[in-house]
Amino acid sequence: MLPTHVTLVEVGPRDGLQNEAQPIAAADKVELVRRLQAAGCRSIEVTSFVSPKWVPQLADAAEVLSAVLAAPQRAAGVRYSVLTPNLKGLEAALANPAARPDEVVVFGAASEAFSRRNINCGIDESVERFRPVVAAAHEAGLRVRAAISCALGCPYQGEVTPDEVEHVVRRMKDIGVDHCGIADTIGVGTPRRVQAAMERALRHFPLAEVSGHFHDTYGQALANIHACLQMGIHVFDASVAGLGGCPYARGATGNVATEDVVFMLRGMDIDTGIDLDALVDAGAFVCGVLGRPPASRAGRALLARRGAQVAGATT
Ligand code: HMG
Ligand code: MG
């Protein structure tokens, strides 16, 4: 039995934009979030409270979060999340009492080498750094999600085994995170290997608290999502227009495009609550800001069809 409803966590404003070299105005980031929530996205990763030396593009995290969560933009029923790798990040995320996120994300890795490149410490040390973040976030009434990068392969280490995935999953469970996201940072996972990694996460977290985060570098993301659906997994990260990449994983291209996932799920009668046309507009908006076409295949096809219809109507 496949799920009848899927929750998509829209990571475009964070994962999508973090890797962009060109400056992007805070107002454009805020407008992107506004359009995503208007399209029906009910879980949105807004930004990261990380070191601006490590991720300069998100140095405006406080400004963006405050604008997104200020009345009247904050939308009822939307879960807003931000990345917080340490207490300094959490404190900054909570600094404006009028603009508190609903959820924070701690991000570890199944590969020791990637952990060191991405957050400057090894796996076990990273989890110990997350422990007080999880406790303080819970104290503040927030949910905590864990992202486990390089669960299907690592740009530095190569192969990553299900045992390595389970090691960090178990550690994340020990420190009390509410949710465990299994991430294929460099997009090398294929369906059976993804199922093996997911099966390890499901040994420690309930079905509703395990999600998939697939970069589409090798074109495997939709197949991997389908493999997860067959296991009953029904929460996935996706990025509008297929934006994304991790600055510390060379060659990592965009996340699976939200438009492509919504198109596939709609065709399978699986509800996401997202209006595909409005989502395509949000993708076209951010791609206009970035000056390039959407990477989403469904987005490009739907924009082309609209263009053809307009041309047909005027000839
Ligand atoms: P560090 O250098 O070891 O930290 O970085 P530190 O505690 O020694 O501090 C060094 C400097 O950073 C100090 O400033 C701190 O104040 C500052 P200085 O005294 O030199 O001026 N600092 C901070 N500033 C702002 N906010 C903070 C913060 N913490 C320290 N929270 C750290 C450790 C984790 C901070 C750093 O490595 C970092 O920021 N890494 C972020 C890497 C990142 O964001 N990567 C992309 C996100 S993960 C991802 O994309 C994968 C995912 O999508 C899933 C997938 O696809 O795999 C989630
Ligand atoms: Mg990612």
Side-chain angles (χ1 to χ4, degrees), residues 265-286:
L265 295 176
R266 199 176 67 168
M268 297 171 73
D269 287 328
I270 298 175
D271 173 50
T272 60
I274 295 175
D275 175 339
L276 184 53
D277 282 318
L279 183 67
V280 168
D281 289 338
F285 163 75
V286 68

Side-chain angles (χ1 to χ4, degrees), residues 14-15 18 48-55 83 85-86 88-89 107 114 118-120 129 147-150 183-185 213 215 245-248 255:
R14 193 280 304 171
D15 200 339
Q18 70 183 9
S48 297
F49 286 86
V50 296
S51 162
K53 286 183 193 145
W54 285 64
V55 185
L83 269 58
N86 52 19
K88 188 178 172 82
F107 46 105
F114 182 77
N118 194 42
I119 51 175
N120 209 20
R129 286 190 194 178
I148 298 181
S149 292
C150 292
D184 185 6
T185 315
H213 174 113
H215 286 256
C246 176
Y248 297 99
N255 292 75

